[in-house]
Structure formats: C-alpha cells, structure tokens
Amino acid sequence: MAAKRSVIPFGPQHPVLPEPIHIDLVTEDEKVVEAIPSIGFVHRGLENLVTKKDFGEMVYVAERICGICSFGHGYGYVDAIEHIMNIEPTGRAKYIRTLLFELSRMHSHILWLGLMADAFGFESLFMETWKYREKVLDMLEAATGGRVIFSIMRIGGLRKDVPDDILSGFLPELDKIEEGIRACEKAFLSDPAVLGRLKGVGYLSKEDAVKLGCEGPFLRASGVARDNRMKGYAAYSDMDFDIITSDDGDSYGRCYVRIQEIYQSANIIRQCIEKMPKEGIYVPIKGFPNGEYMTIIEQPRGGACYYVHASGKKFIERMRVRTPTFANIPALAKTLQGCDVADVPILVVTIDPCISCTER
Amino acid sequence: MRISKSPWLLHYDGSSCNGCDIEVLAATTPRFDVERFGIINTGNPRHADIFLCTGGVNSQNQDVVRQIYDQMPDPKVVLACGICACDGGIFKDCYNILGGTDTVIPVDVYVPGCAVRPEALIDGVVKALKILDEKSEKMKRGEYRSLTSAEYAESLKKTDNKAEAAGMEEKDA
C-alpha cells in the first residue's frame, strides 16, 4: 500500500532559522517527496528607496540589504556607479576594499560553520566557532568602526583610511584564527558523529548544479570551478589564489569548501597587507551619474549582480540586485526531494540562506 | 539585582537586514554570553519569556509576529532590537514596512542601534528581567494580564500613544 501523503510546514519561525523562510514539505512517511518554498517574509521594498535617497546616500542603504554580506553589497553598488561615472579608485582604496571583502567572507563562513554545528546539534562547536568569529569582527571593527554594518564605502574610494599599523596588527590575529579553525575543522571533517549527518546528505550532481543555476560554495562543492573573483575586480587580479572545489556534492563537500575558503581568505588578506600601496584613498567625484551598468561580484554565498540605471539626476532611476541565495533556492528544493525529514534543517542551512538579501 | 528565574528568550526576524539577528545570536555566544543569566535561546514560543523582535514589521510578517506573541505564556516581555524595530529606521520610507514592532504588539524595552551592539542588547535584557519580575508580582496579586495582540490593535485605534495603548504606566526616568 502506498504511503499517505501529508504536508508539513517548515518555518517561517523555526529554531534553526535566524531568518524567516517558509517551506511546505510534502512527505510520505519519513521521506520528503516534494518541497515548495515560499518567500516574502523579509521583503521591505529597499530597491524603491533609490527614488527617496540620493545616489551618494544610497551606498548606506545598499549596505543594509544584508547584515552578513553588507560590505559586498556596498561594494557592488559603488562599483556600478563608478563604472557609469568613469571613476578609477586609487590602488590603496582597491586593496583595502579587497581586504575588507575577504574579512567579510571569513566572518560569513565562520558564522555558517557555527549555524551548521547548531543545526546538527553540536552546541559546543557552535560556541567554539563563534569565538573565532568575534576575532574577525574585532579586526573589522578596528578597520571600519562597525561590527556588522561598516559604512566605509563611498563613491570614488573610501570614507576613511585604515592606518598601516592597524593592518600589520592583523597578521598575528589571522594566525590565531587559522589555528583555531584548524582545530574546529577536525570536528567538522573527521568526527564520526558529524560525518554521519553530513556524508551523502543532499547530493547534487555537477550537471544539476549547472542546470539549476547554483552559485558560490554550493556550486563549487559539486565540482564546478566558477568564482567571480577570477575576473579580477578590485585588487583580485594582483592576488594569487585558486578556486576551491570538491567533488563530493553533498553537505560534507559544502562544509569542506567553506572551511578551505576561510584559509584562502586569510592568505589573500596577508597578500593585501604585504603589497598595500601608499597613496590617497579618495578620488573626488563631479556631477551625477548618467547611464547604466551591470556588475557581478563574488559574495560569500556566490555571485551577486547589481544593475544601476541613472539618468543624470540626483536620484538614480532604478537599482536591481540579484543575490546568490535566490539562485540557490531551486537547487535547495531539488536536494530536499527524497531526503529524510530530520535532514531538512541541515540541508536548508547548507545553502547558507540569506533571506534578507534574497527579498530585500 | 536579584534574578528570580531563568528566563528563556525567543528571537524572530520581523523584516530586518540580518545585522541585528546575528548580533542577537552573538550575544548568546562566549564573548558576551547572556547565558550567564540563565537565559537560553529557545525556538519554541510556548517556552519563551522574552521575545526579541528585530526589524520593522512588513505586511506578510505581521500575522506571524502577532501569532508568536499570542502563543507566549504570561508574563512576557517584548524587546524591540535595533532602530528598525523601534520605529522603522532606514527602511521607514519603504512601501512594505508598516513601522516598528510596536505597530502590531506592545513593546516593553526599546534597544536602538544599527546594527544593535550585543552590549546594548544585554543591557536591554537586564532591564527586561526587571520588568518581567514586576509583571509576575502583579500577576500573583491578580492585578495584571498581558494584552493580546487583538486587544492591543483595538486600543491603538483609540489613542496615538503606543505606551498608553499598551497599558504601561508613565515612569520617571
């Protein structure tokens, strides 16, 4: 006799979710046969604020698209406006932007490791990883003055310089963080209890990952080497790094890719500090932007597109953001098919969902 | 200050940018550690005493916020975390934002900041503990019952003052 189908609602308020998303899980016994996501719980209508804030103020609104990848959102918007206005920021501004970008990536990935540990019920590992995240936040606070929202971006460069002695003070801190994460890595990648929750859970093949348009670590964990940093925006063209991929395609692979990217980010930050040019950080801007531009950058969660259309006025006409979590939701629905109900929280966390980015 | 019970807290994202949400989580981790007050971050509204609501409330989320508030047992305290939860903040002009948390449920403690710092949150939680104690004392004497979200909406219609609508007494600072 065929099992009876029933629908289990997941979210919007759920212990594993820091943010609201709703998924209807169609189940047969303990197996999920279909997952229907619905979004819209954090939609604010932020893009429409371009009609109320002028294009310079809008940088701060863009940063508040999301509190985790805030630096990247500020960068994407500023990058688009700078291309429209034909402004080339100074070398130092580019290097500091790259450095802050990588610090944001570190804090985002460590945050994800903690949430993952929380999702599979390893509470002390969650606390341990977040201990190291605080060190990254300390560095960000020393450099910008903010813990999660930095407001250091400005069209034409940066709002303030980061002195060299603060930058060189980052080096020993990076070593400490790396050491700590290497200790946590053992629990994530070789603890048998953790492996039981991760290995083979939520497998996504390379073909499906490409076909469903995945982004970021989620895509790279399925063996596709695609990283927008390779395009060489900001100072990435001067940095020496490789794309990290894994052929596992399961939750373990996603964990592996993100942990390796933490070390990679630390390396890029070291290179930035080493090669940091000594010059100004700001190029004055004149007039208003006129034209349109679309840019794509690599956020911690994957490629994010920023489209800006301006018509030579104080207020720009249209801003549009496409964020990586939105691209990953179809693949999430796919990986949820056929999984156990108990694995749903883990799978939802493996895409590193950032709902406030997705819905703006 | 005397703490008479171990209050559990519940966190829900009204429609924030996520900045305050991760700071709420950071407040429970070793650096800041609200758990030293016996506080545990629970996921179940029926176990919670303190409700941390971040972000302004949007039209799709308002019923969820109301429902969570109504499911919490008395006595309960609501903290509005971050400037968006206090009055809408930078998103006040957005078409989908109704305003702060106090547009749908009564709020006891307002913690401003963008994003709210964990230290500020701890201060707010300690203030909330005191309010929780007062409420439970009053409840024992049979003088107090929290408003349901429907009653709050009714009383909001009668007055513009949100503190008055929530039935809070004016206090000298």
Side-chain angles (χ1 to χ4, degrees):
Chain A
M1 195 182 89
K4 197 175 160 236
R5 286 198 171 194
S6 47
V7 178
I8 300 176
F10 179 89
Q13 198 268 330
H14 189 276
V16 77
L17 296 169
E19 292 175 279
I21 183 173
H22 179 81
I23 304 173
D24 280 319
L25 303 168
V26 183
T27 56
E28 274 177 10
D29 291 340
E30 282 283 298
K31 291 273 179 222
V32 177
V33 287
E34 201 182 356
I36 307 156
S38 58
I39 57 174
F41 291 95
V42 207
H43 177 65
R44 289 153 278 172
L46 179 148
E47 285 167 357
N48 193 40
L49 275 184
V50 290
T51 57
K52 287 166 186 158
K53 311 259 181 204
D54 75 41
F55 72 101
E57 282 176 334
M58 199 56 202
V59 179
Y60 309 118
V61 179
E63 282 203 333
R64 283 162 178 83
I65 290 173
C66 167
I68 301 178
C69 17
S70 60
F71 185 81
H73 287 304
Y75 181 88
Y77 172 76
V78 167
D79 193 45
I81 295 273
E82 281 172 354
H83 274 98
I84 293 172
M85 297 177 86
N86 284 322
I87 301 165
E88 179 74 16
T90 62
R92 189 178 175 89
K94 283 185 183 172
Y95 268 71
I96 294 181
R97 283 177 181 184
T98 310
L99 183 145
L100 293 173
F101 217 129
E102 289 308 311
L103 275 177
S104 307
R105 192 182 313 278
M106 276 179 94
H107 112 72
S108 173
H109 281 353
I110 299 177
L111 174 134
W112 178 83
L113 285 177
L115 290 182
M116 193 66 193
D118 193 39
F120 54 63
F122 202 150
E123 200 69 18
S124 56
L125 191 58
F126 162 59
M127 295 290 176
E128 186 73 11
T129 45
W130 278 52
K131 191 172 90 188
Y132 298 109
R133 180 173 167 270
E134 286 297 330
K135 285 191 193 297
V136 183
L137 291 186
D138 281 348
M139 286 153 75
L140 280 167
E141 197 175 355
T144 65
R147 276 169 55 90
V148 290
I149 305 277
F150 312 118
S151 304
I152 196 175
M153 288 300 286
R154 180 188 198 181
I155 295 160
L158 296 170
R159 219 156 50 78
K160 54 192 171 191
D161 196 4
V162 184
D164 283 332
D165 55 333
I166 289 186
L167 290 178
S168 52
F170 287 174
L171 294 170
E173 286 294 314
L174 284 173
D175 294 340
K176 273 185 214 158
I177 294 165
E178 207 167 303
E179 199 185 315
I181 298 297
R182 281 198 197 279
C184 296
E185 182 189 329
K186 283 189 198 128
F188 279 107
L189 300 182
S190 49
D191 185 292
V194 174
L195 287 187
R197 296 303 305 272
L198 298 181
K199 272 273 182 196
V201 175
Y203 177 75
L204 187 68
S205 70
K206 194 172 177 176
E207 291 73 36
D208 281 342
V210 173
K211 207 165 69 187
L212 294 167
C214 298
E215 288 280 2
F218 196 58
L219 175 71
R220 294 196 280 276
S222 289
V224 185
R226 192 191 296 160
D227 189 331
N228 292 305
R229 287 179 287 175
M230 286 298 166
K231 290 196 308 172
Y233 60 88
Y236 284 115
S237 47
D238 301 349
M239 301 296 152
D240 179 28
F241 65 100
D242 293 322
I243 301 177
I244 291 164
T245 58
S246 160
D247 292 327
D248 291 324
D250 56 6
S251 302
Y252 176 85
R254 287 157 211 156
C255 217
Y256 170 83
V257 167
R258 288 196 175 95
I259 290 176
Q260 297 306 318
E261 284 190 6
I262 294 172
Y263 306 139
Q264 183 191 49
S265 294
N267 276 334
I268 297 177
I269 294 166
R270 287 193 192 101
Q271 292 177 42
C272 278
I273 295 173
E274 194 185 313
K275 297 178 187 166
M276 183 71 68
K278 287 194 183 352
E279 55 187 330
I281 48 152
Y282 178 59
V283 181
I285 54 166
K286 261 190 228 144
F288 299 123
N290 190 359
E292 62 177 345
Y293 192 79
M294 181 145 173
T295 181
I296 179 163
I297 60 167
E298 186 73 13
Q299 286 274 26
R301 287 163 183 73
C305 311
Y306 300 83
Y307 168 79
V308 171
H309 178 106
S311 56
K313 293 191 197 113
K314 192 176 165 192
F315 299 100
I316 54 179
E317 304 256 295
R318 178 83 170 96
M319 175 177 86
R320 168 92 177 97
V321 186
R322 200 290 318 251
T323 59
T325 305
F326 187 67
N328 283 337
I329 285 179
L332 170 68
K334 166 95 185 164
T335 54
L336 285 175
Q337 282 172 16
C339 79
D340 286 339
V341 173
D343 285 333
V344 171
I346 290 191
L347 286 176
V348 172
V349 173
T350 54
I351 70 161
D352 201 356
C354 184
I355 312 300
S356 55
C357 286
T358 311
E359 300 172 358
R360 299 175 298 283
Chain B
M1 195 189 113
R2 186 181 58 93
I3 299 175
S4 52
K5 66 186 277 191
S6 295
W8 287 13
L9 60 83
L10 173 78
H11 157 240
Y12 186 70
D13 176 353
S15 66
S16 86
C17 74
N18 219 344
C20 297
D21 304 85
I22 54 173
E23 292 294 57
V24 167
L25 273 182
T28 64
T29 56
R31 169 78 65 90
F32 302 101
D33 201 14
V34 288
E35 295 196 351
R36 70 192 131 125
F37 302 118
I39 292 171
I40 290 178
N41 189 3
T42 169
N44 189 344
R46 299 200 190 277
H47 295 170
D49 305 293
I50 304 178
F51 182 23
L52 302 179
C53 195
T54 55
V57 178
N58 73 10
S59 24
Q60 188 167 356
N61 236 336
Q62 54 176 325
D63 293 333
V64 185
V65 174
R66 282 200 188 104
Q67 196 178 6
I68 291 173
Y69 174 80
D70 287 338
Q71 281 173 349
M72 285 171 61
D74 250 353
K76 54 192 165 191
V77 186
V78 180
L79 243 84
C81 307
I83 191 66
C84 298
C86 293
D87 78 334
I90 195 167
F91 304 122
K92 204 173 187 171
D93 298 334
C94 288
Y95 57 80
N96 204 27
I97 293 285
L98 305 175
T101 310
D102 58 10
T103 47
V104 290
I105 54 173
V107 173
D108 299 282
V109 183
Y110 295 83
V111 188
C114 182
V116 58
R117 290 186 69 91
E119 293 92 334
L121 263 178
I122 293 172
D123 193 32
V125 168
V126 170
K127 283 200 165 64
L129 290 178
K130 208 173 163 191
I131 295 174
L132 195 64
D133 265 358
E134 283 172 14
K135 281 188 179 175
S136 81
E137 283 301 316
K138 277 191 193 167
M139 273 180 69
K140 277 180 202 156
R141 296 199 299 269
E143 294 169 1
Y144 178 80
R145 177 181 67 83
S146 293
L147 292 179
T148 62
S149 58
E151 285 166 351
Y152 179 68
E154 274 303 309
S155 57
L156 259 189
K157 278 182 199 158
K158 288 178 199 150
T159 167
D160 289 338
N161 187 342
K162 283 169 180 156
E164 201 179 299
M168 280 194 279
E169 295 152 17
E170 291 293 327
K171 273 185 202 163
D172 294 326

